[in-house]
């Protein structure tokens, strides 16, 4: 009997693991945190992470590995060429995604860089539901154009849709006919749609994308970073999928595509790694040649043998139903806790993060005074919780130096995998409750120093009085 059946009727979501090795958290005072904030120019990226109590900056590479993964680390074989660690890694990837070529890389963006160096270039257009920022940057670096075609519901924070990450199929077909199929090297779909709130894509939608790709003879690639979380949502929400195993669903997703890029720092349950997988022999040859220039020999691709083994084991664990049920439920739990306090969030909660609508919460702070920054710094000052502004600080500065409000001002609380307990999440909710009580008194910010691009990483802020 599965975990779901066994746990049916219980209110408490128990973590389906116990803890063997602990990392102490340093408990700090509000006064100390305010001092750290000032030193950091109110930029949470400039904090030392041991001054953070609950770190929800990202779910990338921040998860806890299992005892079996640590055992696999010991098994890692550091041979330069033909290591058994590579063959275990390759077999684990192929057990889920049966692509002919599996090319390891040190992260997802390295896979993107190599892929788009081969298939991108001036005049090319790559449609996606929503490109993740590194994907977009790697496409644009080749002077190609990255186009986002998520369904309209995907852009409205408070509108419920079970698959808010879906591609707008009519818009995709228009994009292909407008530009001409020869300009389009591939269609991509990001599962789950990270930049759109960690929202899933349905199997039906993926089949629809596949049909359009077949009609115009275009390859379909997945940005598969959160494939297991996406498959769990399909199992839970898509009619007729509830009896299937996640592995079966993942295999079907893979069978609809011609290749994928992957960051193993997400659903690889590892702290580093990624891969590029594809069927096309000619593309794979070119990709491997580039891999050797920057990443390494094709049987390790920028990773140690031990990393490959950690990923191979992680891929077996990430599709387990007990893990996924706990993962998705515990993210929803945070969303439900915040909703009970009256906090406006993007609904439904995604797989890996809860997004707070700071613009709705702090209507007295105009977007150009950065309500997301005000909320994110207040969460840190109040309880040492570090989230990430995803709004006008991140997207408001245009290449010509002008500034405009972003579409939304959100604060993302990304939840590392298997790292925090439910009581940590209760604490986060309590901290948010305290911030809610003084929401009206929170002040906006001005930027006093910033670089010309990607300013969120290094800008310095001053609070407005
Ligand atoms: C994290 C991520 C990437 C990039 O992977 P890295 O390992 O950080 O380089 C690409 N796409 C999506 C959807 C991601 O979440």
């Amino acid at each position: 009997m599965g975990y779901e059946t066994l746990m049916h009727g219980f209110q408490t979501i128990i973590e389906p693991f116990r803890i063997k090795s602990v990392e102490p958290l340093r408990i700090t005072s509000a006064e100390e945190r305010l001092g750290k904030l000032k030193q950091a120019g109110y930029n949470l990226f400039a904090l030392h992470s041991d001054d953070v109590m609950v770190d929800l900056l990202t779910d990338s590479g921040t998860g806890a590995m299992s005892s079996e993964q640590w055992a696999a680390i010991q098994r890692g074989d550091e041979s330069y060429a033909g290591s058994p660690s590579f063959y275990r890694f390759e077999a684990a990837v192929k057990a889920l995604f049966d692509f002919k070529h599996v090319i390891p890389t040190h992260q997802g963006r390295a896979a993107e860089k190599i892929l788009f160096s081969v298939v991108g270039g001036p005049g090319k257009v790559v449609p996606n539901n929503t490109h993740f920022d590194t994907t977009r940057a790697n496409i644009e670096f080749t002077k190609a154009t990255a186009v986002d075609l998520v369904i309209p519901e995907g852009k409205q924070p408070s509108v419920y849709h079970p698959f808010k990450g879906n591609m707008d199929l009519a818009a995709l077909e228009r994009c292909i006919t407008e530009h001409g199929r020869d300009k389009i090297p591939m269609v991509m779909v990001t599962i789950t749609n990270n930049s759109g709130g960690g929202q899933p894509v349905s199997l039906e939608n993926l089949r629809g994308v596949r049909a359009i790709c077949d009609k115009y003879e275009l390859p379909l690639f997945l940005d598969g970073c959160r494939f297991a979380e996406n498959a769990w949502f399909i199992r839970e929400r898509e009619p007729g999928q509830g009896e299937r195993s996640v592995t079966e669903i993942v295999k079907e997703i893979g069978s609809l595509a011609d290749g994928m890029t992957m960051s193993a720092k997400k659903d690889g349950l590892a702290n580093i790694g990624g891969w590029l997988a594809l069927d096309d022999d000619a593309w794979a040859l070119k990709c491997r040649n580039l891999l050797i220039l920057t990443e390494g020999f094709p049987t390790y691709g920028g990773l140690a043998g031990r990393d490959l083994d950690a990923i191979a084991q992680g891929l077996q664990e990430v599709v387990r139903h007990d893990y996924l049920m706990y993962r998705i439920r515990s993210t929803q739990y945070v969303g439900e806790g915040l909703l009970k306090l009256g906090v406006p969030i993007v609904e439904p909660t995604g797989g890996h993060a809860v997004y707070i609508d700071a613009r709705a919460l702090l209507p007295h702070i105009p977007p150009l005074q950065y309500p997301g920054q005000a909320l994110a710094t207040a969460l840190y000052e109040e309880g040492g919780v570090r989230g990430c502004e995803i709004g006008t600080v991140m997207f408001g500065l245009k290449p010509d130096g002008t500034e405009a409000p972003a579409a939304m001002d959100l604060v993302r609380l990304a939840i590392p995998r298997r790292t925090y307990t439910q009581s940590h999440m209760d604490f986060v909710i309590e901290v948010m409750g305290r911030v809610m009580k003084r929401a009206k008194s929170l002040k906006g910010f001005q930027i006093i120093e910033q670089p010309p691009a990607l300013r969120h990483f290094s800008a310095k802020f001053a609070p407005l009085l």
Side-chain angles (χ1 to χ4, degrees), residues 60 107-109 112 132 134-135 190 194 223 225-226 263 265-266:
S60 177
Q107 287 195 211
R109 69 196 67 188
E112 294 164 354
F132 182 66
T134 60
T135 321
T190 305
N194 184 3
D223 176 340
C225 294
R226 296 179 183 76
S263 170
K265 302 174 73 170
K266 286 58 173 266

Side-chain angles (χ1 to χ4, degrees), residues 16-181:
F17 48 81
R18 59 184 181 175
I19 295 161
K20 165 143 45 189
S21 176
V22 299
E23 256 184 304
L25 290 180
R26 206 169 71 74
I27 307 296
T28 52
S29 69
E31 207 181 3
E32 188 183 343
R33 291 191 293 268
L34 184 59
K36 298 290 179 191
L37 264 181
K38 286 182 180 159
Q39 274 173 22
Y42 292 88
N43 188 327
L44 300 179
F45 284 98
L47 292 172
H48 292 205
S49 62
D50 51 2
D51 295 326
V52 175
M53 282 169 24
V54 182
D55 202 349
L56 308 182
L57 187 67
T58 175
D59 67 319
S60 177
T62 52
M65 291 208 293
S66 66
S67 48
E68 287 302 323
Q69 282 179 292
W70 285 106
I73 290 263
Q74 267 303 329
R75 249 190 327 271
D77 177 308
E78 304 306 338
S79 303
Y80 190 93
S83 159
S85 297
F86 170 74
Y87 293 105
R88 286 191 282 266
F89 162 82
E90 187 189 43
V93 173
K94 287 194 174 188
L96 296 170
F97 299 98
D98 195 15
F99 298 119
K100 190 168 172 199
H101 305 278
V102 179
I103 302 172
T105 58
H106 81 277
Q107 287 195 211
R109 69 196 67 188
E112 294 164 354
K113 166 78 180 158
I114 289 169
L115 178 64
F116 293 112
S117 300
V118 171
V119 310
K124 298 277 171 67
V125 176
V126 184
N128 199 331
N129 46 355
T130 310
H131 289 276
F132 182 66
D133 50 13
T134 60
T135 321
R136 169 175 287 278
N138 274 305
I139 289 170
E140 291 175 349
F141 188 74
T142 72
K143 306 240 168 357
T145 306
V147 183
D148 293 340
L149 302 172
V150 73
I151 55 169
E153 291 89 337
K155 291 181 240 169
Q156 294 161 308
S158 58
V159 172
Y160 182 87
H161 187 289
F163 293 101
K164 261 182 148 170
N166 280 356
M167 180 85 87
D168 183 333
L169 296 178
L172 174 63
E173 195 152 9
R174 270 200 306 280
C175 173
I176 296 170
T177 50
E178 261 167 37
H179 294 284
R181 69 161 299 282

Side-chain angles (χ1 to χ4, degrees), residues 233 236-237 327-337 349-351 354 415:
F233 281 119
E236 282 208 313
R237 295 184 185 165
R327 170 75 176 154
I328 301 302
R329 266 301 292 145
S330 56
T331 304
Q332 278 165 354
Y333 176 84
V334 177
E336 284 162 13
T349 45
V354 178
I415 305 182

Side-chain angles (χ1 to χ4, degrees), residues 400-464:
D400 66 2
T402 60
E403 206 185 15
M408 296 189 266
D409 278 292
L410 305 176
V411 172
R412 182 183 72 179
L413 305 178
I415 305 182
R417 294 170 179 76
R418 307 189 292 203
T419 303
Y420 293 109
T421 63
Q422 189 164 331
S423 86
H424 288 112
M425 294 302 125
D426 287 332
F427 178 75
V428 169
I429 295 164
E430 188 177 342
V431 169
M432 187 62 211
R434 289 202 193 187
V435 170
M436 282 288 277
K437 288 206 178 103
R438 58 186 184 89
K440 285 200 179 73
S441 70
L442 294 186
K443 301 276 194 287
F445 281 90
Q446 62 177 352
I447 291 181
I448 53 175
E449 213 185 289
Q450 65 180 2
L454 295 175
R455 65 178 177 176
H456 54 288
F457 290 126
S458 59
K460 288 193 162 55
F461 301 83
L464 292 165

Side-chain angles (χ1 to χ4, degrees), residues 168-213:
D168 183 333
L169 296 178
L172 174 63
E173 195 152 9
R174 270 200 306 280
C175 173
I176 296 170
T177 50
E178 261 167 37
H179 294 284
R181 69 161 299 282
D182 294 340
K183 293 263 171 60
I184 298 182
M186 63 172 57
V187 175
M188 276 194 108
V189 179
T190 305
I191 56 169
T192 57
N193 191 24
N194 184 3
S195 307
Q199 300 292 331
V201 177
S202 70
L203 258 184
E204 185 191 21
N205 188 254
L206 280 166
R207 292 192 196 110
V209 175
R210 176 76 255 171
I212 292 173
C213 288

